[in-house]
Amino acid sequence: MKQSLTLYELNSLVRQSIALTMPDAYWVEAELSELREVRGHCYMELVEKDEYGNTPVAKASAKCWKNTWMFVRQHFERVTGRPMRPGMKVLLKVTADFHEAYGFSWIVNDINPEFTMGDMARRRQEIIRQLKAEGVFELQKELSLPMFAQRVAVISSANAAGYGDFCHQLSANEDGLWFAPSLFPATMQGEAVSASVIRALNEINLRADDFDVVVIIRGGGATSDLSGFDTLELAENVANFPLPVITGIGHERDQSVLDLVAFRSVKTPTAAAALLVDHLSAVYGRVTETQERLVAAVDRRMEVERLRLQRLGEKLPIVFSLFRERQEAKLHRLFQAMTTAVGTRLAQDGHRLELLEGRLRPAAARRLEREEYRQRLLRQRAVALDPALLLKRGYSITTCKGSVVRDAGQLSKGDEIVTRLEKGSVKSIIK
């Protein structure tokens, strides 16, 4: 029987073999599937995926010890402008390491940030290419900022200093222009940026008629973590949004995909506020200029009309004098004719009235006697029909909405009726 080895002895042979056969450092391309820091050390899970099926074809664990990770991380973030995160493609300088108790792993000695920048640029260009293929890349540019863009939907972190600066810039403008910003809180840093901003856009879209423009701003916090603004989903949402979208998310190096598809992009929240203030100030200037031109045009027209009236006024006395003479002669002729006609008519009507008077007196006397007799009869009947007499006999009168109720079918559930008695009245509700 052959002599057996302990597991430790076997692992020691593996460690020695790896140390002898793989003594060099290797540059390897891989994608980060996991990354975590523990007591200053960085533990990574590396993966390589099939180019067509996106299926992992290789996996490995890697470690970067604290003394190396501290410098590598700072250099990577300084060059790329963002921290390392899962999903990134990286170029690592590694050496093979096998430990009897912990197994095999790659030890990271260096990371090339330029490789990751190139990969991020390739991914960004792929997103831009897809947006252009969908025909949405320039949709926001086709919109126009309303003349009076004062109702502003703001997507920002509620506690961000940039949001406070934005609101202060709007309210403290020199012309005293009025703005109404409404905050829609969102996460503006880390992996949750894209989904959070999309949720805020959906909320604004439900109230699109309440706003003139959308502003996405980012202020405060780490300025390096901006990868959440370079996603296809967020870019598509902004590109297709019905309102103009202005971004001010603080890029120091270049523009994100979000900046490229937005209606306008500026560097900072205060610059976004200044853009809105300048736009409204320009509109206010045009309105003021138009007002001044209108007043000047009215003044000129008033002066022309004043001169025209003055010339007419100078001609009026002569024209009026001739007109008055003609009208006075006409009136004199009419007066003479009228006087003659009235005298003749009065004589005729006087004689007719005398004849009528002789006939009217006897007829009037007879008519008065008949009417007096008729009135006596009506008074007697009115006394007999007085409701008070009926009430005294025990009858009652019921009314609804001011009308006497004669048929129960007139009433409906909930109607209020009033029953009048000899003494007082009673209110009832139909059930």
Side-chain angles (χ1 to χ4, degrees), residues 194-263:
S194 180
S196 182
V197 174
I198 290 173
R199 282 195 300 270
L201 287 170
N202 290 336
E203 292 179 22
I204 296 170
N205 190 44
L206 295 175
R207 300 171 48 195
D209 292 338
D210 297 336
F211 302 103
D212 303 311
V213 63
V214 177
V215 175
I216 303 175
I217 54 176
R218 179 184 188 273
T223 59
S224 59
D225 191 6
L226 298 168
S227 58
F229 298 102
D230 279 333
T231 68
L232 177 62
E233 294 81 6
L234 179 56
E236 288 177 332
N237 272 268
V238 170
N240 288 284
F241 205 74
L243 297 176
V245 177
I246 298 173
T247 59
I249 54 180
H251 280 274
E252 295 297 333
R253 294 178 177 272
D254 53 6
Q255 290 182 308
S256 67
V257 176
L258 179 63
D259 291 321
L260 294 174
V261 300
F263 173 76

Side-chain angles (χ1 to χ4, degrees), residues 288-334:
T288 303
E289 180 183 353
T290 303
Q291 179 184 9
E292 293 174 352
R293 289 163 53 191
L294 181 61
V295 170
V298 171
D299 287 342
R300 289 193 300 270
R301 183 58 182 266
M302 290 290 289
E303 180 63 20
V304 171
E305 294 300 322
R306 187 187 66 79
L307 293 174
R308 189 171 71 88
L309 289 174
Q310 183 179 350
R311 290 194 298 271
L312 290 174
E314 294 172 353
K315 298 177 181 179
L316 188 60
I318 300 172
V319 176
F320 179 73
S321 177
L322 294 173
F323 179 76
R324 185 181 63 180
E325 290 177 0
R326 293 173 184 172
Q327 293 301 315
E328 285 178 349
K330 184 178 179 181
L331 288 173
H332 181 68
R333 292 192 300 271
L334 290 173

Side-chain angles (χ1 to χ4, degrees), residues 335-355:
F335 178 74
Q336 289 178 340
M338 186 183 299
T339 301
T340 303
V342 169
T344 303
R345 185 61 181 267
L346 286 175
Q348 293 172 353
D349 289 345
H351 177 68
R352 184 168 175 270
L353 286 173
E354 289 176 0
L355 295 175

Side-chain angles (χ1 to χ4, degrees), residues 373-386:
Y373 177 72
R374 183 169 173 273
Q375 288 179 4
R376 285 196 299 272
L377 292 177
L378 291 175
R379 281 197 295 270
Q380 291 173 1
R381 292 174 63 185
V383 170
L385 296 175
D386 186 358

